Amino acid sequence: GAGVSQSPSNKVTEKGKDVELRCDPISGHTALYWYRQSLGQGLEFLIYFQGNSAPDKSGLPSDRFSAERTGGSVSTLTIQRTQQEDSAVYLCASSLGHQNTEAFFGQGTRLTVV
Amino acid sequence: GEDVEQSLFLSVREGDSSVINCTYTDSSSTYLYWYKQEPGAGLQLLTYIFSNMDMKQDQRLTVLLNKKDKHLSLRIADTQTGDSAIYFCAVTDYGGATNKLIFGTGTLLAVQP
């Protein structure tokens, strides 16, 4: 596709269940970001992948959160034992990864934990 | 780490100018960006400025950078109702310890007809 694709677009899950959110970046983009946007909040950085470098996981809020990026392309964000405070829109972005390149955002996955 | 702050809300009348402000803490920030998020949509890049510039103009948009005060602003001339959105500033430090984009809290711009 032409843009960053995220799936699912909406996810409702019960508290305590695990969820997986998927991001397909733009082809050829080496950098990939996950952000979280809670209601009334700004963008909270979660994790950053750049090429073959070790990911920057400094934004992950707890060890229930993890992310992988397979083959330098598709990324999956996994939240284990979901809590109500995990409810938010999870945004993925990708870029060419070098200086002054635009980050292109997906439409996000709206996660609701009930 | 880097901290980026914005005011949460701005209301203007159609036709007036809007000024959205942003402050940041990391003086090594090299590229500074403004993104726009319309309701129900993802973020889109509006404009950016390199840290060796003081000003950049792009049609109705003017970006001002005060490096000494670590202050960035976005001025929208002749604001229209279609400009209603959340505006995020973002900074990055390529070549530094990290290349990641750090976003501000976002400013909700409401344009009254």
Side-chain angles (χ1 to χ4, degrees), chain B residues 1-88:
Chain B
E2 177 79 80
D3 191 24
V4 182
E5 300 281 344
Q6 297 178 242
S7 53
L8 290 180
F9 182 73
L10 176 66
S11 179
V12 299
R13 288 189 179 275
E14 193 172 19
D16 288 350
S17 292
S18 308
V19 180
I20 303 170
N21 295 301
C22 171
T23 58
Y24 57 98
T25 56
D26 187 349
S27 59
S28 63
S29 297
T30 51
Y31 287 94
L32 304 100
Y33 304 83
W34 284 103
Y35 280 79
K36 178 181 180 182
Q37 185 181 35
E38 296 186 85
L43 278 75
Q44 287 191 306
L45 179 67
L46 265 184
T47 187
Y48 69 92
I49 190 168
F50 184 50
S51 58
N52 69 351
M53 300 167 66
D54 297 323
M55 185 182 84
K56 179 177 180 181
Q57 188 152 3
D58 183 1
Q59 298 182 334
R60 293 190 297 121
L61 305 178
T62 303
V63 179
L64 294 177
L65 176 61
N66 182 328
K67 283 193 68 176
K68 175 176 171 291
D69 294 338
K70 300 176 193 170
H71 181 266
L72 182 72
S73 68
L74 174 70
R75 179 177 181 270
I76 305 173
D78 186 24
T79 315
Q80 304 297 307
T81 53
D83 295 324
S84 294
I86 302 175
Y87 290 81
F88 292 90

Side-chain angles (χ1 to χ4, degrees), chain A residues 49-106:
Chain A
F49 296 90
Q50 170 54 27
N52 295 322
S53 303
D56 178 348
K57 303 179 181 181
S58 60
L60 294 178
S62 78
D63 59 8
R64 297 186 295 104
F65 288 72
S66 62
E68 290 186 340
R69 189 178 185 192
T70 52
S73 181
V74 172
S75 177
T76 302
L77 177 69
T78 301
I79 309 173
Q80 295 178 308
R81 305 180 301 282
T82 51
Q83 304 295 310
Q84 286 186 328
E85 61 263 28
D86 299 335
S87 296
V89 175
Y90 289 81
L91 290 165
C92 176
S94 72
S95 78
L96 286 169
H98 53 73
Q99 287 202 20
N100 190 28
T101 58
E102 179 178 355
F104 293 83
F105 282 79

